[in-house]
Structure formats: structure tokens, C-alpha cells
Amino acid sequence: MPPALRYRSPSRRPLWIIILVTLICVALIGAYVYPPRQYAACYFLSSDVCSPWLPPAPARVYTDDEIAAHVVIRDILSIPSFQPKNPKVAFMFLTPGSLPFERLWEKFFLGHEGRFTIYVHASKEKSVHISSLFIGRNIRSEKVAWGKISMVEAEKRLLANALQDADNQHFVLLSESCVPLHNFDYIYNYLMGTNISFIDCFEDPGPHGTGRYSEHMLPEIEKKDWRKGAQWFSVKRQHAVLILADSLYYSKFKLYCKPGKEGHNCYADEHYLPSFFHMVDPTGIANWSVTHVDWSEGKWHPKAYRAVDVNFELLKNITSIDEIVHVTSNLKKQVHRRPCLWNGMKRPCYLFARKFYPEAIDNLMNLFSNFTVI
Ligand SMILES: *[C@@H]1O[C@H](CO)[C@@H](O)[C@H](O)[C@H]1NC(C)=O
Ligand SMILES: *[C@@H]1O[C@H](CO)[C@@H](O)[C@H](O)[C@H]1NC(C)=O
Ligand SMILES: *[C@@H]1O[C@H](CO)[C@@H](O)[C@H](O)[C@H]1NC(C)=O
Ligand SMILES: *[C@@H]1O[C@H](CO)[C@@H](O)[C@H](O)[C@H]1NC(C)=O
């Protein structure tokens, strides 16, 4: 062992470290006491305005329609909502015809009369009902073409009908292949106990996201505000009114977001509400849908469950999901995961699930009381 080396290193290293740490501290204190001017200003301004490397963009001159839309939106959002004595949830079924899971839904609703209202929009053929809860609940309907604006029109028609009842405070859009995952009380309390709407919303830079954007949307809708999300929403009353009040942004989607437009496809039901709410009330939406669907097979359509697939384990798996996963459609296939936060607490994300084949009804009926204990 060379003794000199052993003796030198322990004594010199601490001194060298102390000098370095002192210099760093002096530099940090200096930066804190004398911050560069641009940074100091940033503490008081929003991040958009204060990026020190870019001059602030001049505010665009708004059109008359935009000025009008902005005041209407602002006022609807600022008016405190009227609390009825008997608040109800509106269940709005968007279906081609009869509902294959009507018996299951009846089981779900029975005993909770007075706390829900049902609306059925049958877009292909008359919806024939077997349950007294559903009889007489069909609204005047129009044909719906998949992916076209008529889909959003049908959603608005359902909302307009449901808004006529002042007791309806939350509005859930469901398809004929949807089933409930919890009992009525759980779902009612989940939707009514929070201030937000459950609208799926994320930024997908890939061909199925931003790739569907058209410059014709300008100036009102900029590319950076383009969002995507599943169609199956659940909105509070204020947001339902907002959807019906909007004609400015809606007409842009009606004109420029269509299948086959300009050589690419755009589906208004996947982009209008996510982009609209991202622009007008981003913190008012949860950014996920309470209706589960399984896209993990990576096909053009989501997984649909047959009778053999439906067992206690499947339903338990779906109800235990408490994280939302969004995958971008570009080559990177980036996966974004976020916990489902309900009033700041981590909770299961899903209240409903799709898609189930009609043949799954018996299994679902048998399991219903078991998996909906909460
Ligand atoms: C809903 O929002 C209002 C005002 O923004 C707030 O006072 C109230 O506590 C919120 N309610 C819930 C359940 O978060
Ligand atoms: C939803 O996303 C927006 C950003 O687009 C964010 O501002 C908002 O807080 C999110 N909502 C919730 C409930 O976290
Ligand atoms: C439930 O989840 C587990 C763990 O992710 C998985 O191994 C299993 O196959 C799932 N079962 C069903 C029926 O989906
Ligand atoms: C439901 O639960 C009960 C008691 O836990 C059990 O006996 C029954 O087999 C279950 N039914 C199904 C369809 O799993």
C-alpha cells in the first residue's frame, strides 16, 4: 500500500467540495436577488405571454360572431346552477332500434323511480319496448350516419329533450351496446357528487388526431386546440346548455369535419366536444369518459364481448381500472396514463361499459347483483 496516497485523498477532497458548493450557493443567491428582468415579469403573467424567447403574439381581432359566442359562453359558465329539490340523471340512449339490454337496465332502474329520466333516440327503426320504464320514452328521431354530423345532431336532439325537464342535472349518453357496471346509487352519487363533466379529451398528434384537422377551421379553431375523445359523454346541466347554445364552433365542424373531406376522414362526434370544451372550459371536464371500451386489440372496431367472454372476472377487471390510458396514433404510439381523480381522490374510472353482443344478456343478468354490490 502506498501510504502517501492514502494520506492525501481524504484531506484534500472535502476542501475541494466545500469550495465548489460555496461557489454554487453564491451563484444561486445572486440569481435569486437579481433575477433577469424577463423572468421576474413572468411570475405575474401567464406562461403564454411571458416566454422570454418569443415576442408575445398580438391578440387576434375577433369576429362579431366570436365576440357574441364568448360572452354567451362566459355567462352560461358563470351563472350558478339552480338546484332542484329532486335532482335527476337523464339517461339518453342513442340506438338504431330496440334496446337489447332493456331488461338489464330495468333491473338497474327499479326502485329508484323519481331520480332518473329515460330518453331513447332510435335512428333506424322504431324502438319497441318491453319495460314500462321505457314505454313512451322515444323521442322524435332522425336518421344517423356513422361518423357524420347527423350523429352530433342526434346527441343535441337528445339533450334538448332532456333539458326540458328542469330536474335533470346530469346527462349521460349511452348506446344500445352499453351496460351499467355499478348499482344505481353508486352511479347517481358519482355523477351528482362532482362539478365536472366526463368528456374524453386528449391531444393526439397522429393521423387519427391532429391529422384530421383542417385549416378551414381557422381562425376560430387553431390546430393547437384540436382534441380527440370518445363520443360517449356525460355532462352536467350547464355544459348541456352550452352545447345547445354553441353555433359558431358547431358550424365549423359541420362544414369542415366530415368523412372523406379533402382526402382525409374527420368524425365530428370524436372531435367537436373534446375540442370545444378544451377551448371554453378545460378545467370543467375530467378528460375521460365514464364508459369503458377496449381498443387494445388495435383493430378498426373495439372489442365486443360475446356471451362466453362475460364472467365475474371480466367485470371485476373493468370496474377496478382507476387509470386512464390514451395512446397516440402516430408511429411512436405514445402511451399517456393518468389516474382517474374524482374530486381530487383516486376512484374507479368507469360506470358503464361497451360493447356487448345481445347474446350476453343472460350472463349479465345473472351477474348483475353480484358485481354491482357497490
Ligand atoms: C362546485 O363548484 C362550486 C363553485 O365553483 C363550489 O363552490 C362547490 O364546492 C363545487 N362542488 C363540488 C361538489 O365540488
Ligand atoms: C383536463 O385537461 C386540461 C388540459 O387540457 C386541464 O387543464 C384540466 O385540469 C384537466 N381536467 C382535470 C379534471 O384534471
Ligand atoms: C383480468 O385481468 C388480469 C390481469 O390483468 C388478466 O390476466 C385476465 O386475463 C383478465 N381477465 C379477463 C376475463 O379479462
Ligand atoms: C353470485 O354470488 C353468490 C354468492 O356470493 C354465488 O353463490 C353465485 O354463484 C354468484 N353468481 C354468479 C353468477 O357468479
Side-chain angles (χ1 to χ4, degrees), residues 196 201 227 278 282-288 338 341:
I196 53 172
C201 176
R227 289 296 181 277
H278 171 71
T283 57
I285 59 170
N287 302 317
W288 86 82
R338 272 186 311 106
L341 295 180

Side-chain angles (χ1 to χ4, degrees), residues 303-311 314 355-361 363-364:
K303 181 169 173 56
Y305 305 102
R306 296 212 166 265
V308 289
D309 302 321
V310 176
N311 51 40
L314 171 76
K355 307 173 83 159
F356 290 82
Y357 279 101
E359 65 178 40
I361 178 90
N363 284 4
L364 287 165

Side-chain angles (χ1 to χ4, degrees), residues 177-243:
S177 70
C178 283
V179 302
L181 292 172
H182 292 274
N183 67 29
F184 184 87
D185 282 326
Y186 184 97
I187 290 179
Y188 182 93
N189 293 332
Y190 195 107
L191 297 175
M192 291 296 210
T194 183
N195 261 341
I196 53 172
S197 292
F198 295 91
I199 295 175
D200 191 26
C201 176
F202 81 110
E203 188 170 8
D204 176 1
H208 299 164
T210 314
R212 295 173 177 171
Y213 176 78
S214 154
E215 303 269 311
H216 285 117
M217 298 273 173
L218 290 170
E220 294 89 348
I221 305 157
E222 294 180 47
K223 200 170 191 169
K224 68 173 176 55
D225 291 322
W226 190 254
R227 289 296 181 277
K228 179 179 178 164
Q231 170 189 12
W232 308 102
F233 64 74
S234 152
V235 293
K236 58 178 178 173
R237 190 170 179 100
Q238 198 179 41
H239 283 164
V241 173
L242 208 52
I243 294 169

Side-chain angles (χ1 to χ4, degrees), residues 22 142 165 311:
T22 313
E142 294 268 346
D165 185 337
N311 51 40

Side-chain angles (χ1 to χ4, degrees), residues 50-125:
C50 78
S51 173
W53 301 280
L54 294 169
R60 184 161 59 77
V61 177
Y62 291 125
T63 63
D64 288 351
D65 286 346
E66 269 178 303
I67 294 171
H70 292 174
V71 295
V72 170
I73 291 166
R74 195 198 55 200
D75 268 32
I76 291 174
L77 288 174
S78 66
I79 295 166
S81 62
F82 152 79
Q83 281 304 315
K85 256 215 294 256
N86 178 32
K88 295 192 285 191
V89 174
F91 290 83
M92 312 182 300
F93 291 87
L94 184 54
T95 170
S98 297
L99 294 166
F101 299 118
E102 194 169 307
R103 279 195 295 137
L104 180 70
W105 284 105
E106 180 182 49
K107 200 166 176 173
F108 167 81
F109 286 124
L110 273 179
H112 304 284
E113 289 78 357
R115 294 163 77 207
F116 64 87
T117 8
I118 295 169
Y119 301 88
V120 181
H121 183 291
S123 44
K124 221 170 172 175
E125 55 197 33

